[in-house]
Amino acid sequence: GAGVSQSPSNKVTEKGKDVELRCDPISGHTALYWYRQSLGQGLEFLIYFQGNSAPDKSGLPSDRFSAERTGGSVSTLTIQRTQQEDSAVYLCASSLAGTSGGGSQYFGPGTRLTVL
Amino acid sequence: RKEVEQDPGPFNVPEGATVAFNCTYSNSASQSFFWYRQDCRKEPKLLMSVYSSGNEDGRFTAQLNRASQYISLLIRDSKLSDSATYLCVVISGGYQKVTFGIGTKLQVIP
């Protein structure tokens, strides 16, 4: 079946512009995660959606970052007034809910964001 | 102390060698544990779950030591294709908090 898809695959933007990144999770997966990974660094958790529950936003680095998940499926991560330090690969993952579902995540290919 | 700690490496090993990585975690209430593999410029992919009783998948063995709060990954008979970064993942907080380690880089040399 189809895996997690993300778009765009690459995004180059100018400092101060807003960007929107999209994630289509695997059908039936109720949990959705956003991470970012800077060059040579580990994964930094950003936000987590589980079903219709309020998202866990504890990882968002600033109020310039926000995310939505409409209809329990597609999610968009929005970064307003981008800064150069926002340059990174933004990864989305989805998983089934359940006792171990949180760990069995399936990742999309990521969006490589470059802020000039 | 970081919630999840890994030696970033790199570990350079010859083909056929056995290599082991550890990953320590700070939250004693952590519930489940996984190893992921990430190839260069690719997304992470689930390698295996980690159980207290230990589990094996071919050349790969994962173990959990709750008393000492670490998980391990053992790779036997290393192949060139095993070269990658190995990330440990710790789940806590009612399966809502997912923490990735920074990853351990493995380079298998011909």
Side-chain angles (χ1 to χ4, degrees):
Chain A
V4 178
S5 61
Q6 291 187 246
S7 61
S9 55
N10 280 284
K11 176 72 177 178
V12 180
T13 190
E14 292 179 350
K15 178 181 171 181
K17 300 282 190 184
D18 298 351
V19 296
E20 264 193 12
L21 313 179
R22 177 188 168 106
C23 172
D24 276 279
I26 292 173
S27 177
H29 281 193
T30 59
L32 186 148
Y33 305 79
W34 282 99
Y35 300 89
R36 73 176 175 182
Q37 188 172 35
S38 302
L39 189 64
Q41 301 298 311
L43 270 73
E44 177 187 2
F45 165 78
L46 296 177
I47 189 169
Y48 161 66
F49 294 90
Q50 173 58 54
N52 295 320
S53 302
D56 175 1
K57 303 180 182 180
S58 60
L60 294 178
S62 77
D63 58 8
R64 296 186 294 105
F65 288 72
S66 61
E68 288 185 339
R69 188 178 185 193
T70 54
S73 182
V74 171
S75 177
T76 54
L77 176 70
T78 301
I79 309 173
Q80 295 178 309
R81 305 180 303 282
T82 52
Q83 303 295 312
Q84 288 182 329
E85 61 263 28
D86 298 334
S87 297
V89 175
Y90 288 80
L91 290 158
C92 172
S94 69
S95 69
L96 289 168
T99 55
S100 64
S104 302
Q105 296 179 45
Y106 296 83
F107 282 82
T111 294
R112 185 173 299 275
L113 174 67
T114 303
V115 182
L116 301 176
Chain B
R1 183 183 173 187
K2 289 184 182 177
E3 291 184 60
V4 176
E5 293 202 62
Q6 290 185 259
D7 183 341
F11 283 57
N12 297 316
V13 302
E15 267 187 293
T18 294
V19 61
F21 313 129
N22 280 349
C23 168
T24 58
Y25 61 94
S26 61
N27 183 353
S28 61
S30 297
Q31 290 135 320
S32 53
F33 310 86
F34 300 83
W35 283 101
Y36 279 70
R37 169 192 171 128
Q38 186 173 26
D39 292 287
C40 188
R41 290 182 166 264
K42 297 286 188 182
E43 70 273 20
K45 292 186 178 179
L46 179 65
L47 181 64
M48 57 199 304
S49 305
V50 188
Y51 306 118
S52 295
S53 55
N55 50 305
E56 191 173 307
D57 183 2
R59 298 180 293 107
F60 297 80
T61 301
Q63 296 236 313
L64 165 64
N65 185 318
R66 283 197 181 272
S68 300
Q69 294 182 208
Y70 73 87
I71 64 173
S72 64
L73 178 67
L74 181 78
I75 305 174
R76 290 181 298 277
D77 188 22
S78 300
K79 311 291 184 191
L80 295 176
S81 57
D82 294 334
S83 297
T85 296
Y86 291 84
L87 306 166
C88 71
V89 180
V90 176
I91 314 294
S92 57
Y95 305 103
Q96 293 205 62
K97 185 172 174 62
V98 181
T99 306
F100 278 77
I102 194 170
T104 296
K105 185 172 183 178
L106 172 67
Q107 186 70 45
V108 181
I109 304 163

